[in-house]
């Protein structure tokens, strides 16, 4: 890399164990200092992959990739088979040979610790998706059939755990960036990176001063532990506000307005939400089914009765995900239903939350995979408990008269917590405006 113009004179790799390392500083580094420069030639981009021999063969076959990550994955496999003949051999040599920390490759030893967790389903779905992609490529492109499925899995895991999204000369692309992909994750990172068109390469700049010997981090973005775990093979502590749990709910067949509601649901009575423990819109997700307000909106629709249903369905631009609090009766029914679903979710786990808390406090595990499994399920249980407690504390407030709720409302408004936010946004307007 150095011979090719890559520059990282103030950084070095530090290994903590055989398969765990980080990037540290050799000296004190000021803010706004370029600590890493990688020329375009050393960036493995989607375009490079698509212009390769295997890339062209797949393009010519007419097969449409299910994921853009597959372009880099198939290219990695091709180059790995070339061995010493590949320009990328030094880079490929430092990539992990196996990904034993990834849940999709777990055996029963670890899966038993995840019983009840959505991580098992998420990992299984990911593996099925990879199998479908692999089979699709093989079916359309004979040149790819010499590669084995597990090689494709290796390639895709190498990509998802290391990929960068770049804008090169005004065009968005994905790339593997040597050395930059060695940085570990932390939310409060000390660096920012981009492709610099003038310098014709990837640059990583410090956003504050970094001490000598300090580990230097990148951020993979705010995510729940489920995404960190299944996508990258790790979990992080103190991630409560971004952790989540699954709520699966269906329109009851005995609902007096079943026919009308089913029509609005486009004949799909079941919905699944994967939400963090909050009612706030300040969440780390983009998918509609991962937004708590959308879940509450759906529950409100389920429990709407008579005039309530007519009121919400007659609004201009009506969408089920946009239903605001309707009435005190409706909101109490919503909270009770959410609480019931959360309690049923907890029953899927063999052990209660306090067991996980004790295990994490003692911190004696077989290995990091074991600890990650406990962290994963602990985050889900904590989320489910939050919704149970939300109902327990909010329902009594909804039964109060406004003159009695005023003092509580004032305290909630002054002290920003996730529960107080729900009180301010939902409980107060409903009680204040009740007739």
């Amino acid at each position: 890399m150095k011979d090719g113009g890559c520059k990282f004179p103030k950084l070095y790799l530090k290994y903590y164990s055989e398969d765990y390392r980080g990037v540290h500083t050799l000296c004190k580094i000021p803010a706004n200092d370029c600590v890493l420069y990688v020329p375009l030639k050393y960036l493995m981009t989607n375009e490079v992959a698509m212009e390769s021999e295997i890339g062209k063969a797949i393009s010519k076959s007419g097969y449409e990739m299910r994921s853009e990550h597959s372009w880099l994955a198939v290219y990695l496999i091709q180059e790995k088979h070339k061995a010493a003949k590949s320009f990328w051999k030094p880079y490929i040599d430092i990539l992990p040979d196996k990904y034993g920390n990834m849940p999709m490759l777990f055996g029963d030893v670890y899966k038993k610790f995840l019983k009840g967790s959505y991580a098992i389903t998420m990992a299984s779905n990911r593996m099925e998706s990879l199998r479908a992609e692999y089979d699709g490529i093989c079916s359309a492109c004979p040149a790819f059939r010499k590669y084995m499925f597990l090689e494709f899995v290796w390639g895709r895991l190498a990509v998802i755990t290391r990929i960068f999204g770049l804008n090169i000369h005004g065009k968005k692309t994905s790339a593997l960036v040597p050395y930059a992909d060695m940085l570990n994750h932390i939310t409060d990172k000390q660096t920012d990176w981009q492709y610099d068109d003038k310098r014709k390469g990837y640059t990583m700049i410090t956003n504050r001063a970094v001490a000598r010997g300090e580990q230097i981090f990148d951020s993979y973005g705010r995510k729940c532990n489920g995404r960190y775990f299944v996508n990258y093979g790790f979990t992080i502590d103190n991630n409560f506000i971004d952790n989540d749990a699954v709520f699966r709910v269906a329109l009851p067949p005995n609902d007096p307005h079943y026919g009308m509601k089913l029509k609005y649901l486009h004949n799909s009575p079941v919905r699944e939400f994967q939400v963090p423990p909050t009612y706030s819109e300040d969440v780390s997700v983009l998918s509609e089914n991962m937004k708590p307000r959308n879940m509450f909106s759906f529950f409100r629709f389920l429990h709407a009765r008579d005039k309530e249903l007519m009121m919400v369905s007659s609004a201009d631009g009506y969408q089920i995900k946009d239903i605001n609090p309707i009435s005190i009766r409706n909101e109490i029914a919503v909270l009770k239903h959410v609480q019931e679903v959360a309690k049923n979710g907890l029953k899927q786990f063999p052990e209660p939350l306090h067991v996980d808390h004790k295990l994490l406090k003692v911190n004696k595990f077989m290995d990091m995979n074991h600890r990650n499994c406990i962290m994963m399920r602990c985050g889900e249980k904590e989320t489910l408990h939050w919704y149970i407690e939300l109902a327990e504390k909010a329902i009594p407030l909804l039964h109060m008269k406004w003159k009695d709720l005023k003092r509580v409302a004032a305290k909630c408004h002054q002290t920003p917590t996730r529960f107080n936010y729900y009180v301010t946004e939902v409980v107060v307007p409903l009680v204040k405006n009740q007739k």
Side-chain angles (χ1 to χ4, degrees), residues 260-266 297-298 300-302 304 308-324 326:
M260 180 187 296
K261 290 181 179 179
L262 188 62
K263 182 179 178 181
Y264 282 118
L265 295 175
H266 305 290
S297 180
F298 182 76
R300 288 168 186 147
F301 174 77
L302 291 187
E308 295 174 345
L309 183 59
M310 297 304 295
M311 178 178 67
V312 298
S313 62
S314 62
D316 291 338
Y318 164 73
Q319 289 187 325
I320 291 176
K321 70 181 183 67
D322 296 328
I323 300 175
N324 292 318
I326 299 173

Side-chain angles (χ1 to χ4, degrees), residues 310-375:
M310 297 304 295
M311 178 178 67
V312 298
S313 62
S314 62
D316 291 338
Y318 164 73
Q319 289 187 325
I320 291 176
K321 70 181 183 67
D322 296 328
I323 300 175
N324 292 318
I326 299 173
S327 67
I328 290 177
R329 182 210 65 79
N330 179 273
E331 197 68 18
I332 290 175
V334 166
L335 288 169
K336 288 181 177 179
H337 196 171
V338 168
Q339 185 181 57
E340 177 188 353
V341 175
K343 287 181 177 180
N344 288 335
L346 286 173
K347 290 178 182 177
Q348 306 307 308
F349 295 93
E351 297 171 310
L353 177 60
H354 71 81
V355 171
D356 297 345
H357 285 164
K358 183 177 180 179
L359 288 170
L360 291 167
K361 184 177 181 180
V362 175
N363 201 31
K364 291 183 179 179
F365 298 99
M366 297 187 302
D367 52 25
M368 283 304 297
N369 286 350
H370 183 194
R371 187 178 192 277
N372 286 335
C373 289
I374 305 305
M375 283 291 296

Side-chain angles (χ1 to χ4, degrees), residues 399-435:
H399 284 300
M400 294 174 71
K401 299 295 184 183
W402 173 237
K403 63 181 180 66
D404 300 317
L405 184 64
K406 279 184 178 180
R407 184 173 297 177
V408 176
K411 290 182 179 179
C412 290
H413 184 72
Q414 293 169 2
T415 309
T417 68
R418 285 169 293 112
F419 172 73
N420 288 352
Y421 184 85
Y422 177 82
V423 172
T424 302
E425 290 289 307
V426 178
V427 176
V428 169
L430 286 174
V431 174
K432 191 174 183 179
N433 296 325
Q434 69 178 324
K435 297 180 180 179

Side-chain angles (χ1 to χ4, degrees), residues 118 122 185-188 219-229 234-247 273-287 289-292 375-376 378-384 386-387 418:
Y118 73 77
M122 189 175 175
H185 161 81
I186 196 171
T187 304
D188 187 23
S219 173
Y220 303 173
R222 279 181 59 187
K223 293 176 175 64
C224 62
N225 265 337
R227 292 177 67 192
Y228 286 133
F229 192 30
F234 69 85
T235 60
I236 61 174
D237 294 1
N238 304 315
N239 198 44
F240 180 73
I241 196 168
D242 284 327
N243 284 336
D244 56 18
V246 170
F247 286 74
F273 299 91
Q274 185 178 320
V275 293
T278 182
Y279 185 74
S280 170
E281 293 180 325
D282 179 26
V283 293
S284 62
V285 297
L286 298 175
S287 302
N289 73 316
M290 301 177 84
K291 297 178 180 178
M375 283 291 296
M376 175 67 213
C378 181
E380 293 176 75
K381 293 175 192 177
E382 288 176 341
T383 300
L384 294 169
W386 186 85
Y387 280 99
R418 285 169 293 112

